[in-house]
Amino acid sequence: MTKKHYNAIVIGAGASGGIIAKELAMEGLTVALMERGDWQVFDKHPTDELISQRTSVLDSVSGPDWKKNPRVYVGPDGKREIVRPGDGRYSPLAAVVGSGTVTYGAMAWRFMEEDFKLKSEYGEVKGSTLDDWPISYTELEPYYEKAEWEIGVAGQAGANPFEAPRNKPYPMPPFEYNRDGEIFSAAAERLGMHPFPIPMLRNSVPYNDRPACIRNRTCVGFQCPVDGKNGTQNTVIPKAISTGNCDLIVEAKVAEILSRPNGNVKGVRYYDANDREKTITADIVIVTASATESARLMLNSKTDLFPNGLGNNNDWVGRNLQGHAYTGAFGIFDHDIKSYAGPGATMGICDFNHHNPGIIGGGLICNEFNRLPYLFSQTRPPGEPSWGKGHKEFQINNLKRMAGLHGPIQEMPMFDSRVTIDPEVRDHWGIPVVALSGQRHPLDRVHCQFLSKKAEEILKEAGAVRTWLSVGGGGGPSGHQHQNGTLRMGNDPKTSVVNKYGQVHDIDNLFVSDASVFVTGGGFNPVLTIMAVAYHTAGYIVKNWKGTRFR
Amino acid sequence: MTRYVTGRRDFLKSSLLATGGLLALPSCLKNYTAWQFFTEEEALCMSAICEQIIPTDIYGPGAGYAGVIFYIDKQLDEVFLDDREEYREGIRLIQDSAIQLHGMKFEALDFELQKGFLEQMEVGENRALSAEENMQQSALFRKMVQHTMQGFYGSPRHGGNRNYISYRLMKLDYPYIVGQNRYRDLKNH
């Protein structure tokens, strides 16, 4: 039974929403945790590549529903095109309880100290809105720790010499290297690099009342069949519900945040599982719906005080959409190098995050997640046939002999890479949809080339008989699974949307906490930072909660 | 004047001669009546294209045996709704130009002729077609390649990859999932 009024409404039960709901519910606040999807059920997609979150050819088993959730993609030539979640340009994220934390590869990176002050480190970048975060690594450190222990991370403290200072080790021992990880780490060491086991949000040993990882081949893009992968759906969300203070409302599509005449927000209007329009009210609202959907909700919520959308009187809402250009290199070996045990990525290298001459930010390098058979069929060295006898022969002979080293590059934020609301297209519920437009900064491509060449060096040293680069960057707009930056945090209300606690400038009881508040996206997978920021925001809300009202 | 002789029996005979084995065709194709999108004639053409994209070879069966045509037929009916016209019109152009260039329908051409025909389709150099048609056909061929790969390398749940044939060819063991994972609907195993 849902109530009519809650202390807090949290919109989106993903990496951040689950954490905030739990933190608030534990403190005695009544919470409505709203999720557009439902609990994911493993049996709907047993090891099925074509409907997985990574290769959504026929469907996205983790949602969102293709038919009901269109978006608009605006190409470089200004051409508008309606896209569905199966289309890479859509920038889809899983629409289930836990969202991407159900299906992710689960790398658990802390950003480095430099990642929070890129402008101070590197200066102005022409054509980019590059800036410092209003919060430092040191301020976030306790919250990283909290995420590592409560959600559950396996890793080796101190194994990465470039790691920012930490107060506590990881709660679980690190994962072993797989076969290619072993070979690549030895090669990287010979080259003077510093490989180490990737910290992972998976159980290397039984933890949190759930079993250890079984090295399942179909891991990234899939729900874990033994629940050895740690997300908010199997940690903080059940905990939030167990307090009795948190109602998880599934299949709730929030259309609009409702405001009072004084500018404060008072609740939300949404469509329930049966498409009935409903309203609930709250003392505070926390938007945790992802960089694309949180921006959409803000832009779709217009009032007299904010005629262009909540928090948008400076026209910064939806801007600086970032993600990660992935870049690297492939190699073919004359022996089986991939064991094909899951998930596949075990070794990381942070030598190329920061302090490389001429490179702003940089990015990490990892060995790859398994390429399942169809995805593998779409990956070939230049000049190889794309069909016919030669293509089949390559597939049969090289599935375990081809390996890649890749990483996410620190993108340069672009003011015009953005989320807007399409003037015409509506979703199934009549809610105006996201339009994505803009381009990546040309420097991204340069940085990608740098990282790809480093990856190729390792492959060659490891004995690859044939190597080739796979260079990312270029094109645009950015976004995708690592989407971030659209509701930037900052001290100056003129050039940001929220303050360092995620509180919207000028609206005391409206918060945002997900990757949209990121100033820059780092050269790392973002999820642990999303979680740390969520704990930080939740801590601020709890501290300022005065019994029945906020401040 | 066209030289080709139509009729399913002739087709089957020539196709067996051309490809050297029953494996090239789904064994049930000749009596199959439950096409959801393709007409029977289109299916024969498309099936030959699939077998070109992933042929039977020394490693084992190709797209024909795997039933990739059933995957594509099913998905054109259920998911790839935007591709329907392109397929229909494209297959018509393939047949028309095969007859014009070689006097026979595509599926009746011998294996090497089919291959050469598709290579020209891929790069948009079919002499029998206009520049605009060639551009469309080239895009369609890329799509056919992708769909064939999906049908061959994807899960049998979607209509192709019969008996997990592609996994066997790649020497993939059954994915290890404790207590949960079994291949489903495995009749001839």
Side-chain angles (χ1 to χ4, degrees), chain A residues 48 217 374 387-388 391-393, chain B residues 53 55 60-61 157-158 173:
Chain A
D48 191 330
R217 179 193 301 157
Y374 170 62
W387 58 281
H391 183 273
K392 183 183 174 193
E393 191 165 14
Chain B
I53 292 169
R157 300 168 87 214
H158 305 297
D173 51 350

Side-chain angles (χ1 to χ4, degrees), chain A residues 472-493:
Chain A
S478 190
H480 306 283
Q481 307 253 301
H482 294 183
Q483 56 188 258
N484 66 80
T486 53
L487 300 163
R488 174 180 283 201
M489 62 160 73
N491 294 324
D492 184 353

Side-chain angles (χ1 to χ4, degrees), chain A residues 463-474:
Chain A
V465 292
R466 182 178 182 187
T467 60
W468 67 99
L469 300 180
S470 155
V471 183

Side-chain angles (χ1 to χ4, degrees), chain A residues 72-228:
Chain A
V72 171
Y73 179 89
V74 186
D77 52 356
K79 197 175 143 226
R80 293 166 64 251
E81 202 180 326
I82 294 181
V83 289
R84 306 280 168 184
D87 187 319
R89 297 171 298 174
Y90 184 99
S91 286
L93 286 177
V96 292
V97 176
S99 188
T101 71
V102 176
T103 56
Y104 57 10
M107 291 190 195
W109 299 106
R110 291 182 176 206
F111 281 9
M112 291 163 67
E113 290 174 297
E114 295 87 336
D115 288 312
F116 295 94
K117 42 180 187 178
L118 281 183
K119 192 174 175 187
S120 303
E121 286 282 329
Y122 297 97
E124 295 259 357
V125 172
K126 206 175 162 219
S128 169
T129 41
L130 193 76
D131 210 337
D132 292 349
W133 290 49
I135 186 172
S136 69
Y137 172 80
T138 313
E139 284 170 86
L140 265 192
E141 201 280 336
Y143 303 100
Y144 272 123
E145 179 183 300
K146 211 167 171 183
E148 286 168 350
W149 283 76
E150 183 153 35
I151 314 295
V153 176
Q156 176 75 54
N160 171 15
F162 305 104
E163 181 184 55
R166 57 164 58 245
N167 285 320
K168 211 172 162 185
Y170 292 102
M172 285 179 277
F175 279 90
E176 73 290 344
Y177 288 146
N178 52 359
R179 195 181 301 164
D180 55 315
E182 198 81 59
I183 290 170
F184 289 145
S185 71
E189 272 173 14
R190 289 198 295 276
L191 292 169
M193 302 172 190
H194 303 82
F196 59 92
I198 300 171
M200 284 283 184
L201 284 142
R202 288 186 287 126
N203 288 350
S204 58
V205 293
Y207 188 74
N208 258 340
D209 201 26
R210 284 175 291 105
C213 168
I214 58 166
R215 316 301 190 266
N216 186 17
R217 179 193 301 157
T218 45
C219 177
V220 59
F222 299 85
Q223 183 180 7
C224 179
V226 300
D227 228 2

Side-chain angles (χ1 to χ4, degrees), chain A residues 16-72:
Chain A
S16 50
I19 285 170
I20 291 180
K22 177 250 162 188
E23 290 291 297
L24 269 47
M26 296 284 275
E27 287 295 321
L29 280 78
T30 54
V31 179
L33 176 57
M34 312 188 72
E35 168 54 44
R36 62 178 171 161
D38 202 341
W39 293 94
Q40 184 161 337
V41 179
F42 178 82
D43 278 352
K44 281 187 184 165
H45 67 114
T47 69
D48 191 330
E49 182 186 3
L50 299 185
I51 59 173
S52 73
Q53 194 66 14
R54 196 179 188 207
T55 318
S56 304
V57 168
L58 298 177
D59 198 0
S60 316
V61 74
S62 318
D65 188 313
W66 287 17
K67 293 197 180 76
K68 295 181 177 174
N69 295 280
R71 277 184 185 170
V72 171

Side-chain angles (χ1 to χ4, degrees), chain A residues 42-44 47-48 57-58 216-217 225 340 373-374 377-378 386-389 391-393 395-397 399, chain B residues 52-53 55 57 59-61 71 75 118 122 141 145 149-150 153 157-158 169-170 172-173 175 177 180:
Chain A
F42 178 82
D43 278 352
K44 281 187 184 165
T47 69
D48 191 330
V57 168
L58 298 177
N216 186 17
R217 179 193 301 157
Y340 229 49
Y374 170 62
S377 80
Q378 303 301 295
S386 55
W387 58 281
K389 192 167 173 288
H391 183 273
K392 183 183 174 193
E393 191 165 14
Q395 180 98 4
I396 291 171
N397 291 332
L399 185 74
Chain B
Q52 279 290 336
I53 292 169
D57 60 10
Y59 296 98
Y71 168 85
Q75 304 315 331
L118 293 180
E122 183 181 23
F141 184 70
V145 168
M149 299 292 168
Q150 290 159 12
Y153 295 115
R157 300 168 87 214
H158 305 297
L169 293 177
M170 289 180 282
L172 279 185
D173 51 350
I177 301 182
Q180 296 238 22

